[in-house]
Amino acid sequence: MSRVAVIGCGVVGAAIAYELSQVPELQVTVFDRQPPAQASTGAALGVLMGIISHKVKGNAWDLRRRSMRRYETLIPELEGKTGNTIPFNRQGIVLLCFEGDDLQSWQHLAQTRHDQGYSLGLWDLAELQVRCPHIQNSRLIGAIHSPGDRQLDPTALTLAFVEAARQNGVTFEFNNPVEKIESLPDEPIHRLSTSAGVVEADWVVLSAGLGTTPLTQVASTPVEIRPVLGQAIRIKVSEMLGDRHFQPVITGEDVHLVPLGNREYWVGATVEFPTDAEVRADQAQLEAVWQKAIALCPALATAERLQAWSGLRPRPHNQPAPIIAPLVGYNRVLLATGHYRNGVLLAPATAQTVCKMIMDAMVMNEESKT
Ligand SMILES: Cc1cc2nc3c(=O)[nH]c(=O)nc-3n(C[C@H](O)[C@H](O)[C@H](O)COP(=O)(O)OP(=O)(O)OC[C@H]3O[C@@H](n4cnc5c(N)ncnc54)[C@H](O)[C@@H]3O)c2cc1C
């Protein structure tokens, strides 16, 4: 048996734990300094912009393609195993287009996606107004509908991953921070200092989001993950917006309107880069997002604001998001971190990639013995 320590139980760590729990040769323990889905994951809107993204090739597209495909089987699988409901909106994403937008680039993307086996609908203004009558703005010229994109509840998903992984034998140690990872160059075993004592592991997976930076300070190449703050709100309207049978996520000018049922919606999110060491939510930025949302959907003006919150997205400094790779200079320490704005979208493919890295190394190790 190989012992795997997963550090961090946001959506990424939980997805990894579930994926690894299906490998009989692995004994998996997940550590988190708090309960699951409390950090970035707990603030996320769960919009999965895979097919509608402009990534068309390479690793960025491959991660999106694999995640979107896996989600279709994952949600019923997790619901079946756990009995939990995971709110999963299958009505797609409608991306609004405005005067001055480059429609040719959307036509080009629609053709590429068609060739890849997906569809994107290019709607003119008349079609948008029939399908989404609640969306009204004089600068609109149409929309792109991506029926294959999805939205889900990130907390419900993470808790289902935890429950399903637990059923498969994974141990979860919540409220148990990892303070230090000690790995000696010539020794295959890692020692993790936790608040409950020292734990040994053959593999360490660092899915600690912003907590990755302090844990890699001793490494020859430390990994710097910086926070980008996001604020969002939950609102309730007196009547469901638009067509009650067609409730996709609507996104325009970087504002998402996410239907939750029961006349409730999430609206967000701000993208706030910290200006100094302290990261503070700026009320004016949330207000700007809210005003943009009202400008797209005037009926929101009379909505009741139920709740507002903020979270910190983990963004890699000086390298692209996400980082899914071995930690330089360390044997069997894998980074699965820095997913920035797309951690929920990319969690399933990240988990598959980490699992494959461990399995491939185990096979190579076995082969080297024979
Ligand atoms: C407002 C907002 C909206 C968003 N909307 C979307 C969206 O629509 N779609 C999308 O795909 N993404 C979205 N995101 C981004 C998404 O939330 C993140 O990319 C994702 O949650 C990252 O997941 P994670 O598991 O890597 O990190 P986290 O959820 O931050 O989890 C990291 C975990 O590691 C733990 N940890 C850290 N250090 C230690 C330590 N030393 N010991 C033990 N545990 C430790 C933390 O407690 C935490 O639980 C949004 C983010 C925000 C803030």
Side-chain angles (χ1 to χ4, degrees):
M1 281 289 234
S2 284
R3 297 158 300 177
V4 186
V6 177
I7 307 177
C9 195
V11 67
V12 173
I16 291 169
Y18 178 59
E19 188 76 23
L20 297 181
S21 75
Q22 293 163 69
V23 182
E25 296 84 8
L26 301 178
Q27 186 189 321
V28 182
T29 308
V30 182
F31 298 87
D32 201 301
R33 61 183 170 204
Q34 53 189 337
Q38 300 285 305
S40 192
T41 300
L45 302 182
V47 181
L48 311 178
M49 297 185 75
I51 297 155
I52 207 162
S53 88
H54 279 278
K55 311 285 183 193
V56 294
K57 58 182 184 190
N59 195 41
W61 166 240
D62 191 53
L63 285 172
R64 283 165 175 76
R65 182 188 62 77
R66 288 195 286 121
S67 276
M68 295 308 294
R69 190 164 64 188
R70 180 65 179 118
Y71 266 125
E72 297 305 310
T73 55
L74 193 53
I75 300 302
E77 184 180 310
L78 290 173
E79 288 187 330
K81 268 182 102 59
T82 63
N84 297 0
T85 300
I86 306 169
F88 188 50
N89 186 336
R90 292 182 171 85
Q91 296 199 316
I93 295 178
V94 172
L95 187 143
L96 305 175
C97 299
F98 298 87
E99 281 166 4
D101 282 357
D102 179 5
L103 288 188
Q104 253 191 345
S105 79
W106 286 110
Q107 280 159 359
H108 192 247
L109 183 68
Q111 184 58 52
T112 306
R113 291 294 185 244
H114 178 265
D115 297 345
Q116 291 170 331
Y118 303 95
S119 81
L120 284 180
L122 305 180
W123 294 351
D124 61 15
L125 188 56
E127 185 158 10
L128 171 63
Q129 285 177 346
V130 169
R131 303 293 300 273
C132 304
H134 54 304
I135 302 299
Q136 298 287 339
N137 181 287
S138 58
R139 291 185 301 110
L140 279 167
I141 54 168
I144 316 298
H145 179 220
S146 177
D149 280 322
R150 305 280 182 252
Q151 183 274 334
L152 51 73
D153 182 319
T155 300
L157 171 70
T158 305
L159 297 181
F161 273 136
V162 169
E163 173 57 26
R166 201 175 251 148
Q167 284 177 19
N168 289 352
V170 173
T171 304
F172 287 88
E173 301 229 1
F174 296 127
N175 305 310
N176 190 2
V178 174
E179 282 139 15
K180 201 166 61 173
I181 308 166
E182 276 184 89
S183 305
L184 301 175
D186 299 325
E187 258 191 70
I189 291 176
H190 309 288
R191 285 180 191 80
L192 274 57
S193 305
T194 76
S195 60
V198 175
V199 178
E200 289 192 344
D202 304 295
W203 287 88
V204 176
V205 180
L206 263 169
S207 48
L210 288 167
T212 307
T213 303
L215 287 173
T216 60
Q217 279 316 301
V218 293
S220 56
T221 321
V223 177
E224 193 175 345
I225 308 291
R226 293 189 174 177
V228 177
L229 193 137
Q231 301 183 71
I233 51 177
R234 184 181 184 112
I235 56 124
K236 186 160 187 143
V237 287
S238 53
E239 263 180 58
M240 192 182 249
L241 300 171
D243 176 351
R244 62 190 350 265
H245 301 294
F246 183 58
Q247 289 283 306
V249 170
I250 309 270
T251 182
E253 300 190 310
D254 225 8
V255 175
H256 297 310
L257 178 61
V258 178
L260 303 173
N262 194 28
R263 294 182 281 118
E264 292 188 13
Y265 294 80
W266 283 334
V267 179
T270 64
V271 181
E272 302 174 44
F273 293 88
T275 44
D276 50 36
E278 216 184 312
V279 193
R280 261 178 267 101
D282 177 357
Q283 191 56 36
Q285 296 218 33
L286 182 60
E287 204 45 45
V289 163
W290 178 234
Q291 291 308 324
K292 263 194 201 173
I294 293 173
L296 298 177
C297 177
L300 288 177
T302 56
E304 183 189 353
R305 283 164 76 152
L306 301 177
Q307 186 196 359
W309 67 93
S310 69
L312 301 176
R313 305 175 181 92
R315 183 181 193 225
H317 182 56
N318 282 339
Q319 55 179 312
I323 308 172
I324 312 168
L327 177 62
V328 174
Y330 285 77
N331 241 340
R332 303 187 187 170
V333 178
L334 303 180
L335 297 161
T337 189
H339 286 69
Y340 188 31
R341 297 183 75 175
N342 289 301
V344 186
L345 169 63
L346 302 180
T350 301
Q352 290 173 343
T353 305
V354 166
C355 189
K356 187 171 183 316
M357 284 168 153
I358 295 178
M359 299 297 293
D360 286 353
M362 285 168 66
V363 169
M364 267 174 61
N365 193 34
E366 281 304 310
E367 282 173 359
S368 69
K369 287 183 192 159
T370 55

